């Protein structure tokens, strides 16, 4: 039989139930008159505990219209409305115990209002407490900071720096993932090293990439947090290199702890080869210091035509984007004279800029369009700044320094290590023959490059024989190539390194003013520089620790606002010129009287 888990209790109909807690009271007709009620209660009301109680389910309900014993009990304690009937004394002359609280007393109140003295124990306690609290507040907020300022021990930085460097404890900051500028797998003994030019100067590591993770890709849309590389897609259009390949991100990956760039014979975009180029443009830049790479050169030490290179360029020009480079590369100039003008001439002068130049172009010295962002820029024209104390703009540009460009000469593998310059010396002759302007460490393997320039660039270049085993199809060893440089005029320099040893050095006075073509001195590049590495096919090729300067938008040479203003020139490779394709103009030039 099913049972109902819920129990319900209901009263039956026609069944009465009463509970009487008071004795029965007489009917109204039998009720005696109420006795007189006195105001004082000598006895408490009868206790309910002493009251007889009956419980009968047969008794009539106590809630019917008949008078109940309960209601009779209520009437027993009713009070009359007149207080006099209670026996209360209501005379105004009657004194009560609390009358003093309500009656005024002029004499007493006058005495109280006259006050007293504060020199009491309670007064001294109050004042003393306030005094102690005041001293505590002054000690906490005045005395303690002063004492701490003069006694605290200054925490040493141990040559430390914040983002990407060493913290104040001398430790490299570590985060989950390989996100920093310094690769977590870079050995600790590489965090510092002596300089090549001056071994007494310590160099601090600020960026590294070991490429130890296999299968990395560098497509522009690939987001690798903390990795600063982006591949170029397109053809590198530069008349000085005559590239024959199409650059594609598919040509670059990482394998066995190395970055691998593959050149393939492949018809693509009306070209016959596919290569790769990647850069840190607008992501990682440096100004001064050492750029170093460990490289296995492609092919063999006698295969001509390959163009492997590692180099650096100023952030205001983006490699592979011609519009951004016109009037910017390879200038490094901060003067207002004819050197800022197209062809380095004004009305055909100086005459020596029109003869004895590039023999393949009628002896003309320069085909450059002029320095777009020169010191001659008129006030109010588009210029990224900054401004000199005399109100003129700082000359800005996209200079180039090459770690190396590999070549083959006489069946021997070599590297050309160069700096590119504009404007140009007469006959592209820089002052290498002046004492100390040029130093070659080992003349048996290094010599000045016979190529010194053409209508699009002047070069200070040395050629050094490579380690002939460090080629892909030879011994397969890796060789260290680098350059170290200090930006500026008088004490600036560039030192190139091949196979881990200093090859040659050029110093800034070698690019001093040249009165023959009426140009001023050109400094060792002062622009923030980014890194480029590539492998292609060309018909032309057979930071000290106390002065670290990294970042692509430094205050003294800003770039970001200008790049953002003309972002299409930096992102559309089909715009090969600033004027004809991008439809922009060069700023007005004060030397030409355009202000």
């Amino acid at each position: 039989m099913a049972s109902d888990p819920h129990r319900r209790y209901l009263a039956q109909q026609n069944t009465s139930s009463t509970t009487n807690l008071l004795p029965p009271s007489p009917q109204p007709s039998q009720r005696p008159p109420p006795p007189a009620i006195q105001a004082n209660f000598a006895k408490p009301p009868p206790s309910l505990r002493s009251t007889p109680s009956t419980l009968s389910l047969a008794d009539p309900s106590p809630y019917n219209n008949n008078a109940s014993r309960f209601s009779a009990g209520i009437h027993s304690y009713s009070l009359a409305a007149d207080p006099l009937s209670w026996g209360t004394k209501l005379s105004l002359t009657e004194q009560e115990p609390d009358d003093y609280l309500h009656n005024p007393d002029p004499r007493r109140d006058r005495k109280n209002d006259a006050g007293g003295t504060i020199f009491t124990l309670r007064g001294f306690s109050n004042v003393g407490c306030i005094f102690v609290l005041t001293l505590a507040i002054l000690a906490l907020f005045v005395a303690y900071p002063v004492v701490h300022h003069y006694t605290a021990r200054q925490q040493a930085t141990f040559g430390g720096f914040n983002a990407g460097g060493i913290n104040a404890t001398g430790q490299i900051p570590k985060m989950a993932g390989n996100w920093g500028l310094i690769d977590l797998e870079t050995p600790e003994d590489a965090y510092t090293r002596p300089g090549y030019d001056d071994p007494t100067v310590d160099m601090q590591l600020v960026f590294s990439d070991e490429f130890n993770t296999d299968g990395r890709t560098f497509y522009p849309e690939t987001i690798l947090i903390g990795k600063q590389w982006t591949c170029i897609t397109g053809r590198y259009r530069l008349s000085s290199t005559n590239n024959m390949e199409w650059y594609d991100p598919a040509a670059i990956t990482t394998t066995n702890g190395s970055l691998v760039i593959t050149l393939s014979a492949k018809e693509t975009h009306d070209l016959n080869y596919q290569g790769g180029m990647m850069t840190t443009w607008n992501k990682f830049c440096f100004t001064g210091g050492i750029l170093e790479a460990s490289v296995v050169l492609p092919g063999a030490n006698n295969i001509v035509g390959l163009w492997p290179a590692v180099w650096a360029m100023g952030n205001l020009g983006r490699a592979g984007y011609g519009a951004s480079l016109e009037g910017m590369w390879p200038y490094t100039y901060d003067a207002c004279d004819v050197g800022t003008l197209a062809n380095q001439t004004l009305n055909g002068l100086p005459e020596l800029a029109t003869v004895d130049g590039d023999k393949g172009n009628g002896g003309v010295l320069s085909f450059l369009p002029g320095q777009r962002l020169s010191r001659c820029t008129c006030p109010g024209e588009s210029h990224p700044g900054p401004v000199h104390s005399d109100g003129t703009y700082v000359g800005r540009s996209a200079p180039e320094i090459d770690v190396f460009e590999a070549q083959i000469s006489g069946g021997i593998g070599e590297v050309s290590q160069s700096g590119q310059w504009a404007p140009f010396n007469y006959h592209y002759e820089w002052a290498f023959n002046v004492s100390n302007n040029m130093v070659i460490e080992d003349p048996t393997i290094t010599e000045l490059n016979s190529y010194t320039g053409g209508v699009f660039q002047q070069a200070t270049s040395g050629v050094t024989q490579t380690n002939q085993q460090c080629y892909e199809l030879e011994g397969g060893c890796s060789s260290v190539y680098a350059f170290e440089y200090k930006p500026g005029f008088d004490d600036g320099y560039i030192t190139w390194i091949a196979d881990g040893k200093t090859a040659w050095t050029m110093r800034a006075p070698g690019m001093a003013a040249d009165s023959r073509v009426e140009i001023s001195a050109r400094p060792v590049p002062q622009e923030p520089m980014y890194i480029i590495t590539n492998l292609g096919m060309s018909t032309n090729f057979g930071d000290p620790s106390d002065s670290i300067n990294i970042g692509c938008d430094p205050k003294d040479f800003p770039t970001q606002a200008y790049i953002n203003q003309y972002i299409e020139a930096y992102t559309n490779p089909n715009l090969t010129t600033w004027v004809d394709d991008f439809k922009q103009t060069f700023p007005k030039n004060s030397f030409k009287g355009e202000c």
Side-chain angles (χ1 to χ4, degrees), residues 246-284:
W246 178 267
Y247 284 136
D248 194 302
I252 303 181
T253 187
T254 52
T255 303
N256 296 327
S258 299
L259 178 73
V260 178
I261 306 178
T262 302
L263 180 68
S264 306
K266 178 180 180 180
E267 292 187 8
T268 175
H269 298 84
D270 297 325
L271 297 171
N272 295 321
Y273 300 94
Q274 176 180 282
M277 172 185 285
M278 72 178 193
T279 81
T280 66
W281 175 77
N282 218 31
K283 292 184 177 182
F284 172 76

Side-chain angles (χ1 to χ4, degrees), residues 440-451:
I440 293 178
E441 295 295 327
D442 186 354
T444 63
I445 59 173
T446 303
E447 62 182 5
L448 286 181
N449 198 329
S450 59
Y451 175 80

Side-chain angles (χ1 to χ4, degrees), residues 270-402:
D270 297 325
L271 297 171
N272 295 321
Y273 300 94
Q274 176 180 282
M277 172 185 285
M278 72 178 193
T279 81
T280 66
W281 175 77
N282 218 31
K283 292 184 177 182
F284 172 76
C285 303
F286 63 101
T287 306
I290 298 174
L291 172 57
E292 183 177 90
S294 179
V295 180
V296 179
L297 293 172
N301 55 24
N302 58 357
I303 297 178
V304 299
L306 300 179
W307 180 43
V310 178
W311 44 301
M313 179 181 284
N315 197 58
L316 282 175
R318 186 179 184 187
Y321 293 79
S324 72
L325 297 171
E326 186 176 26
M328 303 294 288
W329 175 88
Y331 285 95
T332 174
Y333 206 48
D334 189 26
C336 183
D337 53 34
V338 72
T340 67
L341 304 185
N343 310 117
Q344 288 184 219
T345 61
L346 179 63
N347 300 323
L349 297 174
E351 183 180 358
L352 290 181
T354 64
V355 297
D356 299 331
D358 190 334
K359 294 181 180 179
N361 288 281
V364 174
L365 185 66
S366 174
F367 277 175
L368 292 180
Q371 186 180 8
R372 190 201 312 163
L373 302 176
S374 73
R375 188 166 183 169
C376 300
T377 300
C378 295
E381 293 291 295
S382 180
H383 193 289
V387 176
H388 287 289
S389 58
D390 63 0
T392 59
Y393 286 111
V394 173
R396 303 297 304 278
S397 58
E400 175 186 340
I401 305 175
D402 301 330

